[in-house]
Structures are given as structure tokens and as C-alpha cells.
Amino acid sequence: QVQLVESGGGLVQAGGSLRLSCAASGSRFSIATMGWYRQAPGKQRELVATISPGGNTNYVDSVKGRFTISRDNAKNTVSLQMNSLKPEDTAVYYCNAALPYGIYWGQGTQVTVSS
């Protein structure tokens, strides 16, 4: 079983920055592909970014050049640095862990970007 706890959401003006963090329990963090997803009101949950156990990253086109995903296997954490935020980035952001034996989600953290 893996538990994920997100933190760092909040309200920010357009052009500002936020850093989301996700703390994972369990001893298999280092082999998990970690990801951040988001869900805006009335929309489906979408992938934002992923990072493999080896550190390879992948981003949705809309956040490329603005967001950076990183992980610290020693601390069992994954982070999402979000710069140049736009109102359309407003959503609940979810941390995700993909392991050979299951997929796990955090409870989500709200990010609101005002124009």
C-alpha cells in the first residue's frame, strides 16, 4: 500500500509561481513512475507531468517550459515547480504513483490562478 500526501497549493496571480510537493509512504518509491495530474471544474482529469524511476520526464504541451517535475528518492518526495502560471492552470492537482502492483492517488491540492 502506498499513501500520497500533496501540499503547496494555493491562490496566486497570473504570472506567479507555486511549488507542489507530494510525500509518499512505502519502501518502493524508487521504482514508481510518479506523476502529477489535474482536474479543472467540468473537465476530465489530465496528465500534467511524469517522471520515471530513472529521472526521465514527460510534460503535457500546455505546461512545457513553465513546469518542472523532480523527485528525491531518498526523501520519497516528488515536486512540481510551476512558473508563469495562467488562469487556465486552475485545477485540483493530484499526485500519482504507478507501480507494478497498483496505481495510487493523493487526495489533491487546489491551485487557483487569478487573472
Side-chain angles (χ1 to χ4, degrees), residues 37-59:
Y37 289 70
R38 65 187 180 187
Q39 187 166 18
K43 294 188 177 182
Q44 289 188 329
R45 190 173 298 188
E46 68 168 352
L47 171 69
V48 176
T50 61
I51 185 166
S52 72
N56 293 320
T57 59
N58 179 57
Y59 299 91

PDB file of all heavy atoms in Angstrom, residues 37-59:
ATOM      1  N   TYR A  37      -1.264  15.039 -12.052  1.00  0.00           N
ATOM      2  CA  TYR A  37      -2.429  15.198 -12.895  1.00  0.00           C
ATOM      3  C   TYR A  37      -3.231  16.382 -12.357  1.00  0.00           C
ATOM      4  O   TYR A  37      -3.032  16.802 -11.220  1.00  0.00           O
ATOM      5  CB  TYR A  37      -3.299  13.940 -12.861  1.00  0.00           C
ATOM      6  CG  TYR A  37      -2.697  12.752 -13.571  1.00  0.00           C
ATOM      7  CD1 TYR A  37      -1.590  12.083 -13.049  1.00  0.00           C
ATOM      8  CD2 TYR A  37      -3.240  12.280 -14.767  1.00  0.00           C
ATOM      9  CE1 TYR A  37      -1.030  10.999 -13.695  1.00  0.00           C
ATOM     10  CE2 TYR A  37      -2.699  11.182 -15.423  1.00  0.00           C
ATOM     11  CZ  TYR A  37      -1.602  10.556 -14.878  1.00  0.00           C
ATOM     12  OH  TYR A  37      -1.057   9.474 -15.524  1.00  0.00           O
ATOM     13  N   ARG A  38      -4.141  16.878 -13.168  1.00  0.00           N
ATOM     14  CA  ARG A  38      -5.009  17.950 -12.690  1.00  0.00           C
ATOM     15  C   ARG A  38      -6.407  17.793 -13.262  1.00  0.00           C
ATOM     16  O   ARG A  38      -6.595  17.209 -14.325  1.00  0.00           O
ATOM     17  CB  ARG A  38      -4.444  19.323 -13.052  1.00  0.00           C
ATOM     18  CG  ARG A  38      -4.382  19.628 -14.546  1.00  0.00           C
ATOM     19  CD  ARG A  38      -3.649  20.938 -14.785  1.00  0.00           C
ATOM     20  NE  ARG A  38      -3.559  21.268 -16.209  1.00  0.00           N
ATOM     21  CZ  ARG A  38      -2.864  22.271 -16.699  1.00  0.00           C
ATOM     22  NH1 ARG A  38      -2.184  23.087 -15.884  1.00  0.00           N
ATOM     23  NH2 ARG A  38      -2.830  22.494 -18.007  1.00  0.00           N
ATOM     24  N   GLN A  39      -7.355  18.339 -12.529  1.00  0.00           N
ATOM     25  CA  GLN A  39      -8.746  18.298 -12.971  1.00  0.00           C
ATOM     26  C   GLN A  39      -9.398  19.635 -12.689  1.00  0.00           C
ATOM     27  O   GLN A  39      -9.510  20.045 -11.523  1.00  0.00           O
ATOM     28  CB  GLN A  39      -9.517  17.178 -12.277  1.00  0.00           C
ATOM     29  CG  GLN A  39     -10.915  16.974 -12.816  1.00  0.00           C
ATOM     30  CD  GLN A  39     -11.518  15.665 -12.359  1.00  0.00           C
ATOM     31  OE1 GLN A  39     -11.078  15.050 -11.400  1.00  0.00           O
ATOM     32  NE2 GLN A  39     -12.541  15.225 -13.068  1.00  0.00           N
ATOM     33  N   ALA A  40      -9.788  20.301 -13.753  1.00  0.00           N
ATOM     34  CA  ALA A  40     -10.489  21.570 -13.639  1.00  0.00           C
ATOM     35  C   ALA A  40     -11.987  21.296 -13.569  1.00  0.00           C
ATOM     36  O   ALA A  40     -12.456  20.248 -14.019  1.00  0.00           O
ATOM     37  CB  ALA A  40     -10.158  22.442 -14.837  1.00  0.00           C
ATOM     38  N   PRO A  41     -12.764  22.233 -13.028  1.00  0.00           N
ATOM     39  CA  PRO A  41     -14.214  22.034 -12.925  1.00  0.00           C
ATOM     40  C   PRO A  41     -14.843  21.726 -14.280  1.00  0.00           C
ATOM     41  O   PRO A  41     -14.584  22.433 -15.268  1.00  0.00           O
ATOM     42  CB  PRO A  41     -14.713  23.375 -12.380  1.00  0.00           C
ATOM     43  CG  PRO A  41     -13.550  23.938 -11.643  1.00  0.00           C
ATOM     44  CD  PRO A  41     -12.340  23.501 -12.413  1.00  0.00           C
ATOM     45  N   GLY A  42     -15.626  20.682 -14.324  1.00  0.00           N
ATOM     46  CA  GLY A  42     -16.315  20.317 -15.548  1.00  0.00           C
ATOM     47  C   GLY A  42     -15.459  19.647 -16.602  1.00  0.00           C
ATOM     48  O   GLY A  42     -15.933  19.394 -17.716  1.00  0.00           O
ATOM     49  N   LYS A  43     -14.207  19.361 -16.263  1.00  0.00           N
ATOM     50  CA  LYS A  43     -13.304  18.750 -17.234  1.00  0.00           C
ATOM     51  C   LYS A  43     -12.775  17.415 -16.700  1.00  0.00           C
ATOM     52  O   LYS A  43     -12.832  17.142 -15.510  1.00  0.00           O
ATOM     53  CB  LYS A  43     -12.137  19.679 -17.544  1.00  0.00           C
ATOM     54  CG  LYS A  43     -12.548  20.957 -18.251  1.00  0.00           C
ATOM     55  CD  LYS A  43     -11.323  21.744 -18.697  1.00  0.00           C
ATOM     56  CE  LYS A  43     -11.725  22.990 -19.470  1.00  0.00           C
ATOM     57  NZ  LYS A  43     -10.534  23.750 -19.944  1.00  0.00           N
ATOM     58  N   GLN A  44     -12.251  16.623 -17.619  1.00  0.00           N
ATOM     59  CA  GLN A  44     -11.662  15.349 -17.225  1.00  0.00           C
ATOM     60  C   GLN A  44     -10.279  15.583 -16.612  1.00  0.00           C
ATOM     61  O   GLN A  44      -9.610  16.569 -16.918  1.00  0.00           O
ATOM     62  CB  GLN A  44     -11.543  14.424 -18.442  1.00  0.00           C
ATOM     63  CG  GLN A  44     -12.873  13.899 -18.949  1.00  0.00           C
ATOM     64  CD  GLN A  44     -12.714  12.836 -20.024  1.00  0.00           C
ATOM     65  OE1 GLN A  44     -11.746  12.861 -20.785  1.00  0.00           O
ATOM     66  NE2 GLN A  44     -13.634  11.898 -20.083  1.00  0.00           N
ATOM     67  N   ARG A  45      -9.887  14.633 -15.786  1.00  0.00           N
ATOM     68  CA  ARG A  45      -8.543  14.685 -15.222  1.00  0.00           C
ATOM     69  C   ARG A  45      -7.535  14.483 -16.346  1.00  0.00           C
ATOM     70  O   ARG A  45      -7.698  13.608 -17.197  1.00  0.00           O
ATOM     71  CB  ARG A  45      -8.371  13.614 -14.148  1.00  0.00           C
ATOM     72  CG  ARG A  45      -7.107  13.733 -13.342  1.00  0.00           C
ATOM     73  CD  ARG A  45      -7.087  12.729 -12.186  1.00  0.00           C
ATOM     74  NE  ARG A  45      -8.179  12.974 -11.249  1.00  0.00           N
ATOM     75  CZ  ARG A  45      -8.293  12.337 -10.085  1.00  0.00           C
ATOM     76  NH1 ARG A  45      -7.367  11.448  -9.720  1.00  0.00           N
ATOM     77  NH2 ARG A  45      -9.322  12.579  -9.293  1.00  0.00           N
ATOM     78  N   GLU A  46      -6.483  15.307 -16.351  1.00  0.00           N
ATOM     79  CA  GLU A  46      -5.475  15.212 -17.392  1.00  0.00           C
ATOM     80  C   GLU A  46      -4.079  15.099 -16.804  1.00  0.00           C
ATOM     81  O   GLU A  46      -3.786  15.608 -15.717  1.00  0.00           O
ATOM     82  CB  GLU A  46      -5.539  16.431 -18.331  1.00  0.00           C
ATOM     83  CG  GLU A  46      -5.136  17.743 -17.690  1.00  0.00           C
ATOM     84  CD  GLU A  46      -4.917  18.872 -18.702  1.00  0.00           C
ATOM     85  OE1 GLU A  46      -4.925  18.623 -19.922  1.00  0.00           O
ATOM     86  OE2 GLU A  46      -4.722  20.024 -18.243  1.00  0.00           O
ATOM     87  N   LEU A  47      -3.229  14.434 -17.574  1.00  0.00           N
ATOM     88  CA  LEU A  47      -1.833  14.318 -17.182  1.00  0.00           C
ATOM     89  C   LEU A  47      -1.139  15.660 -17.319  1.00  0.00           C
ATOM     90  O   LEU A  47      -1.322  16.368 -18.316  1.00  0.00           O
ATOM     91  CB  LEU A  47      -1.142  13.292 -18.084  1.00  0.00           C
ATOM     92  CG  LEU A  47       0.373  13.188 -17.971  1.00  0.00           C
ATOM     93  CD1 LEU A  47       0.758  12.597 -16.635  1.00  0.00           C
ATOM     94  CD2 LEU A  47       0.941  12.363 -19.115  1.00  0.00           C
ATOM     95  N   VAL A  48      -0.338  16.018 -16.324  1.00  0.00           N
ATOM     96  CA  VAL A  48       0.460  17.238 -16.390  1.00  0.00           C
ATOM     97  C   VAL A  48       1.921  16.885 -16.659  1.00  0.00           C
ATOM     98  O   VAL A  48       2.552  17.407 -17.578  1.00  0.00           O
ATOM     99  CB  VAL A  48       0.351  18.048 -15.091  1.00  0.00           C
ATOM    100  CG1 VAL A  48       1.273  19.271 -15.151  1.00  0.00           C
ATOM    101  CG2 VAL A  48      -1.092  18.472 -14.843  1.00  0.00           C
ATOM    102  N   ALA A  49       2.456  15.984 -15.835  1.00  0.00           N
ATOM    103  CA  ALA A  49       3.867  15.619 -15.981  1.00  0.00           C
ATOM    104  C   ALA A  49       4.126  14.290 -15.297  1.00  0.00           C
ATOM    105  O   ALA A  49       3.439  13.943 -14.333  1.00  0.00           O
ATOM    106  CB  ALA A  49       4.773  16.690 -15.366  1.00  0.00           C
ATOM    107  N   THR A  50       5.114  13.558 -15.810  1.00  0.00           N
ATOM    108  CA  THR A  50       5.538  12.324 -15.165  1.00  0.00           C
ATOM    109  C   THR A  50       7.060  12.302 -15.079  1.00  0.00           C
ATOM    110  O   THR A  50       7.757  12.970 -15.854  1.00  0.00           O
ATOM    111  CB  THR A  50       5.073  11.075 -15.923  1.00  0.00           C
ATOM    112  OG1 THR A  50       5.631  11.088 -17.235  1.00  0.00           O
ATOM    113  CG2 THR A  50       3.557  10.989 -15.996  1.00  0.00           C
ATOM    114  N   ILE A  51       7.545  11.500 -14.145  1.00  0.00           N
ATOM    115  CA  ILE A  51       8.987  11.283 -14.013  1.00  0.00           C
ATOM    116  C   ILE A  51       9.208   9.813 -13.694  1.00  0.00           C
ATOM    117  O   ILE A  51       8.591   9.258 -12.790  1.00  0.00           O
ATOM    118  CB  ILE A  51       9.606  12.219 -12.949  1.00  0.00           C
ATOM    119  CG1 ILE A  51      11.128  12.059 -12.916  1.00  0.00           C
ATOM    120  CG2 ILE A  51       8.974  12.021 -11.582  1.00  0.00           C
ATOM    121  CD1 ILE A  51      11.829  13.188 -12.138  1.00  0.00           C
ATOM    122  N   SER A  52      10.083   9.204 -14.476  1.00  0.00           N
ATOM    123  CA  SER A  52      10.354   7.778 -14.321  1.00  0.00           C
ATOM    124  C   SER A  52      11.304   7.528 -13.149  1.00  0.00           C
ATOM    125  O   SER A  52      11.909   8.469 -12.623  1.00  0.00           O
ATOM    126  CB  SER A  52      10.981   7.241 -15.604  1.00  0.00           C
ATOM    127  OG  SER A  52      12.312   7.720 -15.729  1.00  0.00           O
ATOM    128  N   PRO A  53      11.472   6.264 -12.763  1.00  0.00           N
ATOM    129  CA  PRO A  53      12.443   5.981 -11.701  1.00  0.00           C
ATOM    130  C   PRO A  53      13.846   6.482 -12.034  1.00  0.00           C
ATOM    131  O   PRO A  53      14.594   6.878 -11.130  1.00  0.00           O
ATOM    132  CB  PRO A  53      12.407   4.446 -11.592  1.00  0.00           C
ATOM    133  CG  PRO A  53      11.033   4.087 -12.031  1.00  0.00           C
ATOM    134  CD  PRO A  53      10.701   5.075 -13.136  1.00  0.00           C
ATOM    135  N   GLY A  54      14.177   6.498 -13.305  1.00  0.00           N
ATOM    136  CA  GLY A  54      15.499   6.959 -13.710  1.00  0.00           C
ATOM    137  C   GLY A  54      15.608   8.448 -13.936  1.00  0.00           C
ATOM    138  O   GLY A  54      16.687   8.959 -14.252  1.00  0.00           O
ATOM    139  N   GLY A  55      14.480   9.160 -13.789  1.00  0.00           N
ATOM    140  CA  GLY A  55      14.515  10.612 -13.910  1.00  0.00           C
ATOM    141  C   GLY A  55      14.078  11.164 -15.254  1.00  0.00           C
ATOM    142  O   GLY A  55      14.141  12.370 -15.480  1.00  0.00           O
ATOM    143  N   ASN A  56      13.623  10.293 -16.154  1.00  0.00           N
ATOM    144  CA  ASN A  56      13.108  10.799 -17.435  1.00  0.00           C
ATOM    145  C   ASN A  56      11.767  11.481 -17.212  1.00  0.00           C
ATOM    146  O   ASN A  56      10.912  10.958 -16.508  1.00  0.00           O
ATOM    147  CB  ASN A  56      12.954   9.661 -18.428  1.00  0.00           C
ATOM    148  CG  ASN A  56      14.297   9.077 -18.829  1.00  0.00           C
ATOM    149  OD1 ASN A  56      15.262   9.800 -19.026  1.00  0.00           O
ATOM    150  ND2 ASN A  56      14.363   7.762 -18.942  1.00  0.00           N
ATOM    151  N   THR A  57      11.595  12.632 -17.846  1.00  0.00           N
ATOM    152  CA  THR A  57      10.389  13.425 -17.621  1.00  0.00           C
ATOM    153  C   THR A  57       9.553  13.554 -18.885  1.00  0.00           C
ATOM    154  O   THR A  57      10.061  13.436 -20.010  1.00  0.00           O
ATOM    155  CB  THR A  57      10.749  14.831 -17.107  1.00  0.00           C
ATOM    156  OG1 THR A  57      11.592  15.477 -18.074  1.00  0.00           O
ATOM    157  CG2 THR A  57      11.459  14.760 -15.773  1.00  0.00           C
ATOM    158  N   ASN A  58       8.291  13.814 -18.667  1.00  0.00           N
ATOM    159  CA  ASN A  58       7.336  13.978 -19.759  1.00  0.00           C
ATOM    160  C   ASN A  58       6.320  15.025 -19.318  1.00  0.00           C
ATOM    161  O   ASN A  58       5.895  15.028 -18.161  1.00  0.00           O
ATOM    162  CB  ASN A  58       6.636  12.655 -20.057  1.00  0.00           C
ATOM    163  CG  ASN A  58       5.630  12.785 -21.169  1.00  0.00           C
ATOM    164  OD1 ASN A  58       5.949  13.196 -22.270  1.00  0.00           O
ATOM    165  ND2 ASN A  58       4.379  12.441 -20.886  1.00  0.00           N
ATOM    166  N   TYR A  59       5.958  15.930 -20.237  1.00  0.00           N
ATOM    167  CA  TYR A  59       5.037  17.017 -19.904  1.00  0.00           C
ATOM    168  C   TYR A  59       3.947  17.141 -20.966  1.00  0.00           C
ATOM    169  O   TYR A  59       4.184  16.907 -22.155  1.00  0.00           O
ATOM    170  CB  TYR A  59       5.782  18.362 -19.843  1.00  0.00           C
ATOM    171  CG  TYR A  59       6.868  18.432 -18.803  1.00  0.00           C
ATOM    172  CD1 TYR A  59       8.182  18.086 -19.115  1.00  0.00           C
ATOM    173  CD2 TYR A  59       6.586  18.844 -17.504  1.00  0.00           C
ATOM    174  CE1 TYR A  59       9.180  18.147 -18.159  1.00  0.00           C
ATOM    175  CE2 TYR A  59       7.580  18.917 -16.542  1.00  0.00           C
ATOM    176  CZ  TYR A  59       8.874  18.568 -16.883  1.00  0.00           C
ATOM    177  OH  TYR A  59       9.860  18.632 -15.930  1.00  0.00           O
TER     178      TYR A  59
END
